[in-house]
């Protein structure tokens, strides 16, 4: 696959494939995160109006055209790719089963639909579901309009225990683990039942048209690339994590070619060794959070811990942290995400080429 605004596409993919295989080609991969921060398309398409926010989110023409306008005239450096990923928010897989979404300006949230653990029968997955159909329509329209300008990925999919938390409510689910573990297992099985089928369904659509396996993280694969996660894990013990989530993780990653586990915040660190024990987990995305948790240098020991396990690690850092980080950490297995304007991106790449 070639892109008009990504002249080094082939080399970038080779660099990423080497990273997935635990190898270092010439430098660590780097993705720049502010290539389209201005989003000038919001002014170009300002003439559109909607009755409500849901109608705006469901306007596939607007969503695709907005993205197309936002990447015009931009050259993508490093391992930054123009990726359109069909998006209705992080709870959309749970909504495929009949739950309702409420839409805000930049995200959506789910209306918890299981008031009683015995009320599981109301959860019914359907390809006729309004949210499923909208993701499908957005995917196909984006492919139709791509014309070699961007990659079309798949939507943000959260199954297993995170999906159950969406249906039930995290606080209620914490109590369910103690009071009604059998019903929690039943709900997890319900969440898992169609997860791999849904992934394959959308993967087949994008692959049929020559696109890569990629989603919101922007790291593509020629195979099946998956981002397993369990944000609910930050609320539970290692014992509960192992019983209620770990089997789902193992099943998901065995189905894929490449897996990057989304480790969201310090509350998830207690589960890290268990996650690292899974051979098919190729890398960890470390999300340190904001405020006092944000400076990357305080997490050097954790990053080295992932490296010692033979896994890659996706790291977010600021430009002014780069030199200190390079002095403390080996480049092997590192995938950097740096907030940087186009004017300094090529200079950063030159610095990374000297990192040994």
């Amino acid at each position: 696959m070639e892109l008009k605004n990504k002249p080094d596409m082939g080399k970038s993919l080779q660099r990423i494939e080497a990273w997935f295989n635990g190898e270092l080609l010439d430098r660590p991969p780097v993705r720049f995160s502010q290539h389209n921060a201005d989003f000038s398309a919001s002014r170009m398409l300002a003439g559109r109006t909607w009755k409500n926010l849901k109608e705006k989110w469901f306007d596939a023409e607007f969503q695709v055209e907005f993205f197309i306008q936002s990447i015009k005239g931009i050259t993508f450096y490093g391992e930054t790719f123009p990726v359109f990923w069909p998006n209705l928010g992080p709870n959309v897989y749970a909504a495929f089963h009949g739950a309702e979404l409420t839409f805000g300006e930049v995200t959506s949230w789910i209306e918890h639909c299981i008031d009683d653990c015995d009320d599981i029968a109301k959860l019914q997955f359907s390809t006729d579901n309004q949210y499923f159909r909208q993701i499908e329509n957005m995917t196909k329209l984006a492919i139709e309009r791509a014309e070699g300008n961007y990659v079309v990925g798949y939507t943000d999919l959260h199954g297993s225990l995170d999906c159950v938390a969406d249906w039930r409510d995290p606080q209620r689910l914490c109590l369910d683990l103690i009071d009604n573990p059998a019903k929690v297992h039943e709900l997890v099985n319900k969440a898992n039942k169609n997860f791999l089928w849904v992934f394959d369904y959308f993967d087949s659509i994008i692959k049929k048209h020559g696109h890569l396996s990629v989603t919101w993280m922007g790291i593509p694969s020629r195979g099946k690339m998956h981002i397993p996660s369990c944000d609910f894990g930050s609320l539970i013990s290692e014992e509960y994590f192992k019983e209620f989530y770990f089997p789902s993780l193992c099943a998901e990653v065995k189905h894929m070619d490449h897996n990057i586990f989304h480790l969201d915040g310090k509350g998830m660190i207690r589960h890290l060794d268990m996650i690292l024990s899974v051979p098919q987990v190729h890398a960890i995305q470390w999300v340190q959070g904001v405020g006092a948790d944000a400076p990357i240098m305080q997490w050097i020991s954790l990053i080295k811990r992932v490296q010692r396990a033979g896994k890659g690690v996706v790291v977010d850092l600021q430009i002014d942290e780069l030199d200190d980080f390079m002095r403390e950490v080996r480049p092997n297995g590192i995938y950097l995400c740096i907030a940087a304007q186009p004017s300094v991106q090529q200079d950063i790449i030159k610095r990374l080429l000297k990192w040994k």
Side-chain angles (χ1 to χ4, degrees), residues 200-213:
D200 286 349
Y201 181 81
F202 289 107
D203 181 73
S204 67
I205 293 175
I206 59 179
K207 294 288 181 55
K208 180 181 178 181
H209 294 89
H211 291 262
L212 300 166
S213 183

Side-chain angles (χ1 to χ4, degrees), residues 18-274:
W19 177 76
F20 273 125
N21 292 327
E23 302 166 358
L24 185 67
L25 195 60
D26 54 351
R27 61 165 175 78
V30 58
R31 177 173 65 83
F32 299 110
S33 58
Q34 290 186 347
H35 56 279
N36 58 354
D38 183 41
F39 284 111
S40 57
S42 60
R43 293 189 292 273
M44 296 177 190
L45 305 179
R48 286 183 180 266
T49 59
W50 303 271
K51 295 177 182 177
N52 51 53
L53 285 171
K54 180 179 178 180
E55 189 176 271
K56 179 180 179 181
W57 282 75
F58 269 60
D59 187 344
E61 289 273 349
F62 166 73
Q63 300 297 343
V64 173
E65 187 60 24
F66 181 96
F67 177 77
I68 291 172
Q69 295 295 336
S70 75
I71 63 172
K72 275 190 174 179
I74 296 173
T75 299
F76 293 83
Y77 297 111
E79 283 58 62
T80 316
F81 301 85
V83 176
F84 179 88
W85 57 283
N87 179 36
L88 292 177
N91 310 124
V92 70
Y93 177 74
F96 288 168
H97 297 74
E100 292 292 332
L101 296 176
T102 298
F103 293 92
E105 285 289 349
V106 297
T107 191
S108 66
W109 53 94
I110 199 158
E111 297 178 21
H112 306 297
C113 60
I114 300 297
D115 294 324
D116 190 309
C117 275
D118 291 327
D119 200 16
I120 297 175
K122 72 191 307 183
L123 297 168
Q124 295 295 329
F125 171 79
S126 174
T127 57
D128 290 326
N129 173 279
Q130 61 173 325
Y131 303 111
F132 185 93
R133 286 299 181 206
Q134 179 61 14
I135 292 294
E136 182 181 48
N137 292 339
M138 211 183 304
T139 302
K140 291 180 177 179
L141 181 63
I143 290 170
E144 179 185 319
R145 302 279 176 86
E147 298 179 347
N149 292 307
Y150 56 85
V151 179
V152 179
Y154 61 92
T155 196
D156 191 7
L157 295 171
H158 296 264
S160 189
L161 208 53
D162 276 352
C163 180
V164 175
D166 291 340
W167 289 334
R168 181 72 172 126
D169 174 78
Q171 290 184 345
R172 286 177 172 176
L173 184 55
C174 285
L175 296 176
D176 294 337
L177 295 174
I178 301 169
D179 298 334
N180 206 345
K183 285 297 181 182
V184 176
H185 279 297
E186 189 176 347
L187 280 164
V188 169
N189 290 337
K190 187 93 171 183
N192 289 342
K193 182 178 180 182
N194 296 291
F195 186 82
L196 297 180
W197 183 92
V198 169
F199 182 96
D200 286 349
Y201 181 81
F202 289 107
D203 181 73
S204 67
I205 293 175
I206 59 179
K207 294 288 181 55
K208 180 181 178 181
H209 294 89
H211 291 262
L212 300 166
S213 183
V214 62
T215 186
W216 60 268
M217 197 182 293
I219 299 178
S221 166
R222 290 188 173 98
K224 293 181 181 180
M225 200 289 300
H226 177 43
I227 304 173
S229 63
C230 184
D231 291 351
F232 180 76
S234 63
L235 302 178
I236 60 177
S237 68
E238 296 167 69
E239 178 184 358
Y240 282 142
F241 188 85
K242 184 175 183 179
E243 178 180 352
F244 293 97
Y245 173 68
F246 192 66
S248 301
L249 170 63
C250 294
E252 287 180 19
V253 298
K254 286 178 182 177
H255 186 77
M256 312 297 178
D257 298 298
H258 296 123
N259 298 281
I260 305 171
F261 192 93
H262 171 70
L263 196 75
D264 196 346
K266 56 190 178 185
M268 286 293 296
I269 295 175
R270 72 176 74 98
H271 307 305
L272 180 58
D273 286 340
M274 198 182 310

